[in-house]
Amino acid sequence: TFMEKVFHALSNLGIALLIAISIPTLVHLGGNIIMKQPSHPSYRDYVATQSQTLQERNEYNKARQTYKEEYKAWSNKYFYVSLISALICVVLGMFLTISSLSLGFIFAAIFTAISGYIQTWMYVQALPKFIALLIMLALLIICVIFQHHKRNPVKPKKKTITRKKKAPAKKKK
């Protein structure tokens, strides 16, 4: 019935959304566990009283500079981890035959790539970002073409049998 089809479509969409939210979260948490994200230095840790000395200010500025360098190194690693995870999700989404899983992995790839870009945008050079975007765009186009051909397979053309026409008989003189 109509209601069963609607319920089935909504449950598939729900499963896809859960996958699309879970995978980027797992990549983010896993990335922070494996590659510890540097913590920003707290100003209060370096200033003991209201009147800050030049030495305290210098220590804080040095800690901030160290943090920026560590965060830049972490950002480069996280960028590649998130994009490799997104590429894996795209490939899985292309080959899975269950529509809710396929859709979920494709959305997860998009969200994981967006998360990787947002967190690392300022620190990653332009060329790796550009190349990664081209690869992701190409994979998404291939995914759409693959999904289209999976749902609408090319039907072989029927061979038509044609008879050769007889050559006109030569006229006798």
Side-chain angles (χ1 to χ4, degrees):
T1 65
F2 175 74
M3 288 306 291
E4 288 175 345
K5 288 181 181 180
V6 169
F7 177 75
H8 184 68
L10 287 176
S11 65
N12 282 344
L13 183 63
I15 291 168
L17 287 176
L18 284 174
I19 291 170
I21 293 169
S22 298
I23 290 177
T25 305
L26 287 172
V27 169
H28 178 73
L29 292 175
N32 284 338
I33 291 170
I34 294 169
M35 309 170 303
K36 180 100 171 97
Q37 183 176 0
S39 59
H40 194 280
S42 173
Y43 184 73
R44 293 179 187 162
D45 294 341
Y46 290 92
V47 179
T49 62
Q50 287 291 348
S51 61
Q52 80 180 46
T53 65
L54 184 59
Q55 179 184 1
E56 289 172 337
R57 184 180 294 170
N58 288 340
E59 287 176 7
Y60 176 70
N61 287 338
K62 186 187 283 186
R64 280 186 53 207
Q65 186 62 34
T66 303
Y67 164 77
K68 285 181 182 180
E69 291 168 5
E70 290 174 355
Y71 192 81
K72 185 174 182 178
W74 176 86
S75 292
N76 282 320
K77 292 176 191 172
Y78 184 77
F79 175 77
Y80 291 113
V81 166
S82 65
L83 289 181
I84 289 170
S85 301
L87 291 174
I88 291 170
C89 286
V90 167
V91 171
L92 284 173
M94 284 190 329
F95 292 109
L96 289 172
T97 57
I98 301 171
S99 62
S100 59
L101 291 178
S102 180
L103 182 64
F105 275 103
I106 297 298
F107 278 144
I110 293 167
F111 295 158
T112 303
I114 289 172
S115 170
Y117 271 94
I118 287 173
Q119 285 196 318
T120 63
W121 188 259
M122 291 177 46
Y123 298 103
V124 177
Q125 298 294 322
L127 184 61
K129 290 188 282 193
F130 179 75
I131 291 171
L133 276 175
L134 280 178
I135 292 170
M136 288 298 289
L137 182 63
L139 273 175
L140 286 174
I141 290 170
I142 290 169
C143 178
V144 168
I145 292 169
F146 182 79
Q147 291 290 338
H148 175 73
H149 285 296
K150 192 166 48 169
R151 290 192 179 110
N152 305 317
V154 178
K155 297 175 183 171
K157 292 183 179 179
K158 293 182 180 178
K159 292 183 180 180
T160 56
I161 301 174
T162 57
R163 296 183 183 186
K164 292 184 180 180
K165 292 183 180 179
K166 293 183 180 180
K170 291 185 182 179
K171 293 183 182 180
K172 293 184 182 178
K173 292 182 183 182

